[in-house]
Amino acid sequence: RRVREAVVSTQSTGTHLPDIYLCAVVCILDIYMSFLWESNRVKELRQLAHKNTSDKAEQRKLEEKKKKEEEKAKAKAADADGGGGSSDEEGEGGTKKRNADYSQDVDAAHEKINVEQLSKKEELFQIRFIVHKARKLAGAIQSPLVRIHLDTKVLRTKPRKGKNPRFNETLLFSVTKSEAELVECPVEIRVIDSAKSIQYSLIGLYKCDLSIAWVTKDKNLFFKWFALSNPDEPQDGLTGYINVSIQIIPPGETAKDAPRKRDDEIDRSDNVFFPPGISLQPGRFIVKLFNGEDMPQSDKKPLSLFGERKQNPKKKKK
């Protein structure tokens, strides 16, 4: 517009063309300065918005930290009161309720641990799971695999074949927690069929925490059988067994090799962790022997079933 006005004024007044060029240059500089001003303004607005976002995030973190501290203070106050089951997390007599998904074996492990004596300092622990084998997996199985859930982390083995597969794989987790938090770190051992859809792939699972390994010698739980069940179909009962070793490796230490054991040392009824509500019950079998017929004759003296009874030498003399 200014250039057009300058041209019109040049035609009317007889101004030379260099003045028109000078006017055009001034217009271009004016436009450029306006652009720079707008760019700086936009930059300032972006910085202000970023600063507001950072302030809100920092404020949110401070509020969450304050809330956690208040919860810890309430928990300590409840422990100091020690009574009556006033809290939702406490049962009768002030005893803390355990997770309903955990078995009596996990509860027994927790009773052996004095949490107050454990360190509250966060450290880097290595948690080693050795998946040895599975047995008697239920259902029409094609490609079973084992998936280990530790807190929010998940690792899995390679798929195998059959209802009694051997895996012999090691899954290693790195966890930064204090000792008090580590013993209550949840563990979920899942056996799934990778050939099926996610909805129907679960064969069975076992839930526990790391306390079962913490209470063992050197924090190594070797060759333990875990009985599996499907919580979605509890009427099916046990759906199989999985043999797993769990090792807790503190900072600065190395993992120990699993000892060599025979199958008869591993496959014992007292070496099984059962899910809640399921346990081994003692049974008694009675066998009665009446008589035998058509026994084969032999030249040698027939062997007594319970061994020959020795005669009293004094009675023999008489």
Side-chain angles (χ1 to χ4, degrees), residues 40-201:
N40 291 333
R41 181 61 179 168
V42 171
K43 187 176 180 180
E44 291 176 358
L45 291 174
R46 287 180 178 176
Q47 290 178 350
L48 183 62
H50 180 70
K51 184 179 179 181
N52 292 336
T53 305
S54 301
D55 292 342
K56 289 181 180 179
E58 187 175 356
Q59 186 178 2
R60 195 181 302 114
K61 288 181 179 179
L62 291 174
E63 290 177 354
E64 291 178 355
K65 186 177 180 180
K66 186 177 179 181
K67 187 177 179 181
K68 288 182 179 179
E69 290 177 353
E70 290 177 354
E71 290 177 354
K72 288 182 179 179
K74 289 181 180 179
K76 288 182 179 179
D79 292 339
D81 294 340
S86 58
S87 173
D88 292 338
E89 295 181 355
E90 294 184 357
E92 299 178 356
T95 57
K96 186 178 179 181
K97 289 184 179 179
R98 296 291 303 135
N99 193 326
D101 295 331
Y102 292 168
S103 65
Q104 295 180 355
D105 300 306
V106 183
D107 294 340
H110 268 273
E111 291 177 358
K112 299 177 182 178
I113 300 174
N114 189 352
V115 182
E116 296 179 356
Q117 295 181 353
L118 298 179
S119 173
K120 304 299 187 293
K121 180 183 176 181
E122 290 191 350
E123 296 178 297
L124 179 62
F125 290 87
Q126 301 289 331
I127 313 300
R128 186 184 187 191
F129 291 84
I130 307 174
V131 183
H132 301 289
K133 55 187 176 180
R135 183 171 294 175
K136 297 181 180 180
L137 300 179
I141 301 168
Q142 299 179 21
S143 300
L145 61 85
V146 179
R147 195 165 60 194
I148 306 291
H149 298 247
L150 179 65
D151 203 6
T152 58
K153 300 180 180 181
V154 182
L155 292 176
R156 47 167 282 184
T157 65
K158 295 179 181 178
R160 297 292 193 273
K161 298 292 183 181
K163 294 190 175 185
N164 302 297
R166 287 185 174 271
F167 296 95
N168 294 324
E169 290 190 39
T170 301
L171 306 178
L172 189 62
F173 293 86
S174 296
V175 180
T176 303
K177 289 182 179 293
S178 65
E179 292 182 352
E181 296 172 337
L182 187 69
V183 295
E184 295 186 353
C185 189
V187 177
E188 188 172 302
I189 303 173
R190 285 176 170 258
V191 180
I192 63 174
D193 192 348
S194 60
K196 297 180 180 179
S197 61
I198 298 177
Q199 184 178 1
Y200 304 102
S201 63

Side-chain angles (χ1 to χ4, degrees), residues 130 132-133 168 222-223 243 245 247 256-268 271:
I130 307 174
H132 301 289
K133 55 187 176 180
N168 294 324
F222 288 121
F223 299 106
N243 190 252
S245 296
Q247 296 177 271
K256 295 184 178 181
D257 295 333
R260 292 185 178 181
K261 288 189 176 182
R262 302 189 308 270
D263 289 341
D264 59 347
E265 295 177 322
I266 300 172
D267 302 341
R268 302 194 320 267
N271 191 38

Side-chain angles (χ1 to χ4, degrees), residues 224-236:
K224 197 70 180 181
W225 283 104
F226 296 90
L228 307 174
S229 62
N230 190 342
D232 298 331
E233 298 178 0
Q235 69 277 4
D236 292 345

